[in-house]
Amino acid sequence: MPALFEEFPPVATEDWERAIRQDLKGADYDKRLVWHTDTGIDVRPYYRREHLADLKYLLDQIPGEFPYARGTRASNGWGIREEIDAVDCREANAAAKAALQAGADQICFLRAVPRNAGELRALVAGLDNAPVFFWADAAGDAVAQLLPECSPMRGGMRLHPFTDAGVAAAILKQFDWPEFRPVAIRRASFLESGATSVQQLGFMLAAGIEYMRWMIERGVGVDAAAKGVMFAFSVGSSYFFQIARFRAFRMLWARALEGFGASPEASKAYLFARTADWTQSIYDSYNNVLRGTTQAMSAALGGVDSLAVAPFDETYRNADDASLRLARNTQVILKKEAFLDRVADPGAGSYYIEVLTDSLAQASWKLMQEVESIGGYLKARDSGMIPAAVQSAREKKEKDLAFGRRVIVGSNKYPNVKERMLDRIGPKDIELVYGRLAEPFEDIRLRTERHAAAGNKTPVFLLAEVGDLKMRKARSGFVFNFLGCGGFDLRTGHFENPEAIADAVSREGADVVVLCSSDEEYSKLAPAVVTAVKPTPVLVAGNPKDAAELERAGVAGFIHVRSNAMETLTQWQERLGVRG
């Protein structure tokens, strides 16, 4: 083996850089190869050992040892949390037992609220001492009153760190249950509202620090307060960032608690993660299975303590048994077939992940300090600083989606144009509070479906391919994806002249013609087509230099990579009388 490596002598970084710049042939290195993320962290095209020169504090850590970037335990086992939606305590208990038999090992009751000791016993009977979490808003006070009648429990509650502070403090002072966490800092709403990874970590950390102050003021010991809280995250779709996010947060929380004087054992953050609603879509909803899988993988590799995978169809109906089973088995397969629980912190030593972990930690700590300078989490929230920052991040994501710089497969790119969802949207017992990123595109497409369902014609767009083979095919494909996201009826054909296009307009009943050709051919072709198909409007696929002249010749608009898809689709719905 050593002889093999001798055949590949080390290459200095400056030599790599020189070769890269030569291959770029004058193109801007920073624009072409550096990923400028919405977190403010720039990702290099490659990493080498020298990029980790200041990260010895990360590389020397051991799983299970302070400050826990590599995990709070020496293994990578996590709890497969099953969310039980039933309201009746006995029905919820039956569903929970079935879930445990099918592979889950934690139970979370979303809506069941035990009103007396008998209902509580009925709710948790036969669950084999599995951790149980009470997640209904009304369950906090109810369960808190019943805890004196319980033996030590495992799991937790969803008490709010501030509005339920009095109840939480009373529980933490009265009960020393090491595996029961009554408080949940559930700032999953940051990701679901469009926050960046740095905002999610920085604001979550600030909320945790504020919680610690509130508990200490109410007479709760530092260690008891630290052991009594869990952090509930949503898991997004940026795979490596998500892995690094959990690693960074554990370290940040441990360092923050160090400042409070907490013991190393109490400084272990308990992280619950749920795959994000934010990234899910109604159209092409089976893609949600793939999204949930990659998100679950990043959470597992990031070392979360507990994980729930959202059913792929929960965005538009009550999840059925099949989708619940599929969600559960996503985790079971990651454990039993992919063995992701066999190695603690498998991302450790990866130059990319280690640099991301450090970058997120540094930026998030700085943001937390900014919040503290305002007076803490609550003052920053109430002053509008936190909501404004998250809203700005969301608007950036929505703009990127509209211009195709961010992709949701099946929603703003690569749509299944034959799919219809209006009749498949069913009743939902639990509504999603925060708007998903794909919703603006879904609303446009559902508007077209409702228009057709009311007995109206779905607008027909004729994609007329003319001239240069390469350009006409490329532009036709782009326009097909673009307009398909609006739910329109798309017809594609190759034509030799404007007269043939006019015949097709009459034959197909086309409401709009989209001319797909090369920029060089548009100057003569487009005016002729406009004349031939009057009064049918003509669009041009592309952004030719003589666009102004073509508009004067009657071209109704242009579709190209710099077009705002949401605005363009909505404008043509209005122009074609699409209501709904």
Side-chain angles (χ1 to χ4, degrees):
M1 188 64 71
L4 175 63
F5 286 119
E6 289 175 3
E7 296 181 18
F8 300 95
V11 179
T13 300
E14 52 267 26
D15 293 334
W16 278 113
E17 290 290 308
R18 188 180 303 110
I20 291 170
R21 294 184 187 281
Q22 287 176 352
D23 288 344
L24 284 173
K25 297 179 181 178
D28 189 295
Y29 184 106
D30 186 69
K31 290 182 179 179
R32 292 289 297 274
L33 297 181
V34 177
W35 175 24
H36 302 284
T37 71
D38 58 11
T39 64
I41 295 171
D42 291 341
V43 177
R44 295 177 54 82
Y46 70 97
Y47 289 93
R48 307 199 76 195
R49 184 177 295 275
E50 60 252 43
H51 296 123
L52 280 71
D54 297 326
L55 304 188
K56 192 174 186 298
Y57 78 97
L58 275 176
L59 301 177
D60 288 348
Q61 289 187 33
I62 298 173
E65 293 189 3
F66 187 90
Y68 310 118
R70 298 202 59 199
T72 58
R73 52 196 184 276
S75 68
N76 195 39
W78 72 89
I80 299 176
R81 184 181 294 197
E82 181 84 2
E83 298 175 332
I84 305 299
D85 193 21
V87 176
D88 179 80
C89 288
R90 296 188 183 279
E91 288 183 13
N93 174 261
K97 287 190 286 189
L100 291 175
Q101 291 176 350
D105 45 35
Q106 293 184 354
I107 296 299
C108 180
F109 293 111
L110 295 179
R111 295 197 293 159
V113 180
R115 301 295 180 182
N116 53 56
E119 287 190 354
L120 179 59
R121 284 192 289 270
L123 187 60
V124 301
L127 300 187
D128 301 325
N129 200 35
V132 175
F133 297 86
F134 303 93
W135 223 242
D137 288 333
D141 288 337
V143 174
Q145 295 174 12
L146 300 174
L147 287 180
E149 303 181 43
C150 301
S151 57
M153 296 182 65
R154 302 174 63 209
M157 298 158 63
R158 199 187 180 209
L159 292 179
H160 192 280
F162 309 124
T163 57
D164 297 326
V167 176
I171 292 174
L172 292 173
K173 286 189 285 188
Q174 184 176 359
F175 301 101
D176 183 20
W177 294 352
E179 296 186 76
F180 189 77
R181 297 174 182 266
V183 179
I185 297 181
R186 47 190 190 273
R187 298 272 66 87
S189 57
F190 288 137
L191 184 147
E192 302 292 358
S193 296
T196 68
S197 292
V198 169
Q199 290 172 341
Q200 295 162 42
L201 294 184
F203 294 149
M204 181 81 93
L205 181 63
I209 291 171
E210 187 97 358
Y211 155 80
M212 290 296 296
R213 285 197 287 258
W214 276 54
M215 291 299 103
I216 292 170
E217 289 172 359
R218 286 159 178 76
V220 180
V222 171
D223 278 14
K227 292 180 179 179
V229 64
M230 75 183 84
F231 295 90
F233 285 88
S234 287
V235 193
S237 57
S238 186
Y239 185 75
F240 293 106
F241 266 84
Q242 300 305 304
I243 295 172
R245 190 169 61 119
F246 293 116
R247 300 175 87 242
F249 185 81
R250 279 192 301 270
M251 181 170 58
L252 293 174
W253 181 239
R255 291 302 186 190
L257 288 182
E258 187 178 33
F260 282 100
S263 68
E265 183 64 26
S267 301
K268 296 179 177 180
Y270 186 97
L271 306 183
F272 163 61
R274 188 180 194 274
T275 57
D277 294 318
W278 166 258
T279 60
Q280 290 200 345
S281 61
I282 288 177
Y283 288 95
D284 245 355
S285 60
Y286 285 107
N287 287 332
N288 295 334
V289 178
L290 307 178
R291 297 179 182 115
T293 300
T294 62
Q295 291 167 11
M297 286 179 64
S298 58
L301 296 176
V304 300
D305 299 278
S306 176
L307 175 62
V309 174
F312 77 90
D313 53 354
E314 75 169 12
T315 56
Y316 60 91
R317 68 183 183 191
N318 289 327
D320 59 21
D321 290 341
S323 60
L324 288 170
R325 182 176 180 82
L326 187 58
R328 183 191 315 118
N329 281 347
T330 299
Q331 293 195 65
V332 176
I333 288 173
L334 292 181
K335 273 192 174 184
K336 304 301 182 182
E337 296 188 21
F339 308 119
L340 295 192
D341 62 334
R342 300 291 180 90
V343 178
D345 192 26
S350 161
Y351 296 175
Y352 180 34
I353 291 177
E354 297 291 15
V355 170
L356 280 186
T357 301
D358 175 71
S359 299
L360 285 171
Q362 300 286 353
S364 301
W365 187 267
K366 183 178 179 181
L367 180 58
M368 177 275 292
Q369 290 177 317
E370 182 181 343
V371 171
E372 286 292 290
S373 71
I374 296 173
Y377 175 80
L378 291 178
K379 287 186 177 180
R381 183 197 68 185
D382 295 341
S383 72
M385 176 267 194
I386 290 176
V390 174
Q391 180 62 26
S392 177
R394 182 190 184 101
E395 289 173 356
K396 173 64 164 59
K397 289 182 170 67
E398 290 176 341
K399 183 177 180 180
D400 286 346
L401 191 74
F403 283 96
R405 295 188 291 263
R406 180 181 292 267
V407 174
I408 299 179
V409 176
S411 295
N412 77 322
K413 201 165 188 179
Y414 311 121
N416 177 358
V417 296
K418 295 181 179 180
E419 185 178 30
R420 300 292 180 267
M421 284 300 302
L422 193 61
D423 294 337
R424 295 171 60 188
I425 298 175
K428 283 177 54 62
D429 293 330
I430 297 179
E431 292 298 325
L432 305 180
V433 178
Y434 304 95
R436 293 170 293 104
L437 183 58
E439 280 191 35
F441 274 93
E442 293 169 352
D443 290 342
I444 290 171
R445 194 161 170 184
L446 286 170
R447 176 179 174 177
T448 302
E449 283 198 43
R450 286 191 291 267
H451 179 75
N456 301 302
K457 173 190 173 186
T458 299
V460 176
F461 283 71
L462 176 64
L463 279 55
E465 300 177 356
V466 184
D468 183 276
L469 176 62
K470 182 179 179 181
M471 292 304 300
R472 78 184 189 225
K473 286 296 183 183
R475 283 175 163 166
S476 175
F478 175 83
V479 170
F480 189 91
N481 271 312
F482 189 101
L483 295 174
C485 297
F488 301 126
D489 185 353
L490 307 179
R491 315 283 176 85
T492 303
H494 172 224
F495 304 95
E496 296 294 338
N497 52 60
E499 291 72 24
I501 296 175
D503 290 342
V505 167
S506 176
R507 184 173 62 253
E508 302 286 351
D511 300 287
V512 181
V513 172
V514 185
L515 194 55
C516 303
S517 187
S518 65
D519 288 359
E520 294 74 19
E521 293 170 287
Y522 282 143
S523 57
K524 293 183 179 180
L525 179 63
V529 172
V530 168
T531 301
V533 302
K534 278 184 179 180
T536 303
V538 175
L539 293 171
V540 162
N543 189 22
K545 294 180 180 179
D546 58 347
E549 294 179 18
L550 294 180
E551 284 184 324
R552 287 192 290 271
V555 170
F558 303 85
I559 296 177
H560 49 81
V561 293
R562 293 187 179 88
S563 297
N564 183 319
M566 285 192 287
E567 288 184 0
T568 302
L569 295 174
T570 302
Q571 288 169 358
W572 280 97
Q573 284 182 322
E574 291 290 339
R575 180 162 176 172
L576 298 173
V578 176
R579 302 288 181 262

